[in-house]
């Protein structure tokens, strides 16, 4: 590795990285330090326009594919590109760094090499993937999933948003349905820089995470249909109350996570009650269940336990319960060769690193199906994310971008990896 290593002093521009993050964060600003750029909204379009402008200003070849993924490629050398990237869509109460860091840092890597006259032996590409968050359209990581052939383009375009529109219609409305076919051919390797979004690095006083993989994700929507009735006149024994059942399900998820322990996490993040009035026993409740584990077997156990309890609740309360899978991804293991390079690079830059699994979903977990892949994490202050208070110290952001810079350079010089497509899933 040493033969091709860049001088360890080579650094991305601190001020340019921060300025671009701020500029992108101002698009869809929520006025409280946060950002709302739900996928394929007008704000997402404005963010995309900014990223495309930066790519064109750098002289990159800009390509938009049929699911709206935006790729800027520095077409040098030969062979498949070393790719980086992430997403710029956010949750409704997003911060400035989730996803954005990976895209902005990718541009920074290329610009730093260009301005220093350093040309890699193969192309470098940076991609902003469509709808990573899955907040407006499910599943999450949809753009990268289609990119690697894990979801049919037509099925993806037919996805319906939580606010009604069809994904394909929104994509063309904002002018980002490109003509480049998907699935795409596999990059030489993929590495994504992201904030950790959890507390582990900060608590461990370690500045770089060499990410070993991503935990499995199970998302479902549950709709409970009961008997709507008068809140004052309906005896408790005669109720078929979806609100009560939804509360039982919420408690079930917490208890299940406590009982299974380890990496098991369970969340009820969205509850819609109809008609949502003080004096009406509701007719129905629709809620989402987000259940994750690094262990596929335990994740399946959790899913079975939830399903069985839903059956019991349905019988006991006399309600009907509909279930719809919104996303289901098995745990992913990243490529050891790429993880090793991240660790080596961190060491060469004189910084501490630790191996760490990801609790959040990422585009890298989809790319891992087709090419050698890993991720780089930087610490999140207090582990807060999906929140306007999300924060990573500027020096840590820059350090992460530098680890990305040196890692991409190493990957570009490495001819082969111990990797079989699909092996990490
Ligand atoms: C994406 O941010 C996720 O929900 O993990
Ligand atoms: Mn993200
Ligand atoms: Mn996110």
């Amino acid at each position: 590795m040493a033969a091709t290593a860049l001088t360890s002093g080579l650094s991305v521009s601190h001020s340019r990285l921060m300025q671009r993050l701020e500029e992108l964060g101002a698009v869809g600003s929520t006025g409280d330090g946060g950002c709302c750029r739900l996928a394929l909204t007008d704000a997402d379009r404005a963010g995309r326009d900014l990223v495309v402008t930066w790519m064109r200003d750098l002289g990159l070849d800009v390509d938009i594919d049929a699911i709206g993924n935006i790729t800027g490629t520095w077409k040098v050398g030969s062979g498949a590109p070393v790719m980086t990237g992430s997403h710029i869509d956010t949750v409704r109460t997003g911060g400035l760094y989730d996803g954005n860091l990976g895209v902005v840092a990718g541009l920074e890597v290329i610009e730093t090499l260009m301005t220093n006259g350093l040309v890699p032996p193969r192309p470098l590409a940076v991609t902003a993937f469509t709808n990573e968050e899955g907040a407006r359209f499910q599943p999450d990581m949809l753009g990268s999933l289609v990119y690697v052939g894990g979801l049919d383009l037509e099925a993806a375009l037919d996805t319906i948003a939580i606010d009604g529109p069809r994904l394909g219609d929104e994509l063309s409305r904002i002018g980002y349905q490109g003509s480049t076919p998907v699935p795409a051919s596999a990059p030489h390797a993929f590495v994504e820089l992201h904030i950790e979004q959890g507390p582990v690095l900060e608590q461990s006083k370690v500045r770089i995470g060499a990410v070993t993989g991503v935990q499995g994700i199970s998302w479902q929507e549950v709709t409970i249909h009961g008997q709507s009735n008068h809140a004052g006149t309906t005896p408790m024994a005669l109720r078929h109350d979806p609100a009560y059942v939804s509360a039982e399900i919420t408690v079930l998820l917490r208890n299940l996570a406590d009982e299974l322990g380890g990496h098991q996490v369970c969340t009820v993040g969205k509850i819609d009650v109809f008609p949502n009035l003080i004096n009406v026993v509701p007719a129905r409740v629709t809620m989402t269940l987000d259940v994750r584990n690094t262990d596929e077997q335990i994740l399946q156990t959790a899913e079975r336990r939830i399903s069985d309890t839903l059956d019991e609740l349905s019988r006991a309360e006399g309600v009907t319960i509909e279930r719809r899978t919104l996303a289901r991804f098995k745990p992913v293991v990243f490529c050891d060769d790429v993880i090793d390079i991240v660790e080596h690079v961190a060491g060469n830059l004189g910084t501490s690193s630790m191996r760490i699994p990801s609790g959040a979903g990422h585009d890298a977990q989809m790319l891992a199906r087709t090419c050698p892949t890993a991720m780089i994490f930087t610490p999140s202050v207090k582990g807060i994310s999906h929140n306007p208070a999300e924060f990573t110290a500027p020096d840590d952001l820059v350090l992460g971008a530098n680890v990305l810079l040196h890692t991409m350079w190493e990957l570009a010089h490495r001819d082969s990896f111990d990797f079989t497509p699909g092996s990490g899933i």
Side-chain angles (χ1 to χ4, degrees):
M1 213 175 294
T4 56
L6 297 170
T7 135
S8 63
L10 185 73
S11 173
V12 302
S13 160
H14 187 297
S15 56
R16 199 171 48 208
L17 179 79
M18 294 312 297
Q19 195 191 322
R20 284 193 178 139
L21 282 170
E22 277 162 29
E23 220 180 307
L24 191 50
V27 180
S29 166
T30 45
D32 54 0
C35 196
C36 176
R37 279 198 310 273
L38 288 167
L40 311 187
T41 56
D42 290 349
D44 186 21
R45 166 174 39 199
R48 286 163 171 265
D49 289 350
L50 186 56
V51 168
V52 168
T53 302
W54 287 332
M55 287 176 171
R56 291 204 202 289
D57 287 350
L58 263 177
L60 303 186
D61 190 274
V62 179
D63 176 86
I64 297 162
D65 70 24
I67 196 65
N69 299 317
I70 305 167
T71 299
T73 306
W74 184 19
K75 288 203 162 158
V76 290
S78 59
V82 170
M83 181 180 274
T84 188
S86 195
H87 60 98
I88 65 156
D89 67 311
T90 72
V91 296
R92 188 175 282 126
T93 50
L96 301 194
Y97 309 109
D98 177 0
N100 304 314
L101 173 64
V103 174
V104 167
L107 294 173
E108 197 52 45
V109 165
I110 294 175
E111 188 153 0
T112 302
L113 294 174
M114 280 178 169
T115 53
N116 284 276
L118 293 160
V119 180
R122 51 174 68 247
L124 300 187
V126 52
T127 300
F129 291 103
T130 294
N131 187 52
E132 187 272 354
E133 290 291 3
R136 187 172 180 226
F137 299 94
Q138 289 90 36
D140 47 353
M141 285 80 70
L142 179 140
S144 45
L145 184 62
V146 172
Y147 189 89
V148 300
L151 176 65
D152 239 35
L153 175 63
E154 286 312 317
L157 294 173
D158 281 341
T159 305
I160 303 299
I162 56 169
D163 54 334
R166 180 179 164 272
L167 189 146
D169 296 339
E170 286 293 85
L171 196 55
S172 59
R173 183 186 69 78
I174 67 164
Y176 274 91
Q177 181 154 31
S179 53
T180 302
V182 279
S185 49
H188 180 62
F190 183 84
V191 59
E192 176 175 355
L193 171 65
H194 206 285
I195 54 168
E196 182 203 333
Q197 308 181 273
V200 177
L201 291 176
E202 184 181 57
Q203 283 174 3
S204 310
K205 297 192 170 25
V206 171
R207 296 181 69 195
I208 291 294
V211 185
T212 52
V214 179
Q215 66 181 344
I217 301 174
S218 169
W219 279 4
Q220 59 175 311
E221 181 186 79
V222 169
T223 303
I224 308 147
H225 300 271
Q227 175 63 59
S228 191
N229 213 332
H230 195 292
T233 61
T234 313
M236 298 311 289
L238 295 185
R239 294 190 182 207
H240 309 285
D241 183 351
Y244 163 70
V245 173
S246 74
E248 285 284 341
I249 294 171
T250 306
V251 172
L252 161 72
L253 260 67
R254 168 58 73 97
N255 288 342
L256 194 56
D258 288 346
E259 186 191 320
L260 294 173
H263 284 282
Q264 184 63 54
V265 287
C266 296
T267 307
V268 173
K270 186 170 186 289
I271 304 180
D272 296 311
V273 181
F274 181 82
N276 206 19
L277 295 169
I278 188 169
N279 54 356
V280 182
V281 177
R284 71 175 176 275
V285 170
T286 299
M287 62 197 295
T288 57
L289 315 188
D290 175 321
V291 180
R292 308 190 195 198
N293 203 306
T294 48
D295 184 312
E296 173 63 19
Q297 293 313 314
I298 304 177
L299 185 56
Q300 287 184 18
T301 300
E303 290 175 315
R304 251 193 323 275
R305 292 274 300 275
I306 291 167
S307 177
D308 290 349
T309 309
L310 260 53
D311 289 344
E312 284 162 26
L313 284 167
S314 165
R315 273 193 299 275
E317 184 68 7
V319 296
T320 57
I321 303 182
E322 270 178 80
R323 304 152 212 206
R324 190 162 70 95
T325 300
L326 301 177
R328 182 61 167 88
F329 301 117
K330 287 184 179 168
V332 170
V333 178
F334 287 148
C335 174
D336 255 330
D337 286 352
V338 184
I339 302 170
D340 284 346
I341 291 176
V342 171
E343 280 185 323
H344 273 96
V345 162
N348 287 346
L349 296 184
T351 194
S352 51
S353 72
M354 66 186 280
R355 292 192 169 215
I356 177 176
S358 173
H362 296 290
D363 295 305
Q365 79 190 81
M366 299 310 166
L367 271 293
R369 297 182 182 197
T370 60
C371 70
T373 296
M375 295 183 71
I376 303 159
F377 273 176
T378 54
S380 291
V381 172
K382 297 198 176 101
I384 290 176
S385 186
H386 285 185
N387 183 323
E390 173 182 285
F391 184 72
T392 296
D395 283 351
D396 285 339
L397 297 170
V398 172
L399 179 65
N402 280 331
V403 174
L404 180 67
L405 164 70
H406 292 259
T407 299
M408 288 183 76
W409 184 261
E410 296 290 346
L411 291 171
H413 285 82
R414 173 98 172 231
D415 286 332
S416 64
F417 301 87
D418 184 7
F419 172 77
T420 315
S423 59
I425 307 165

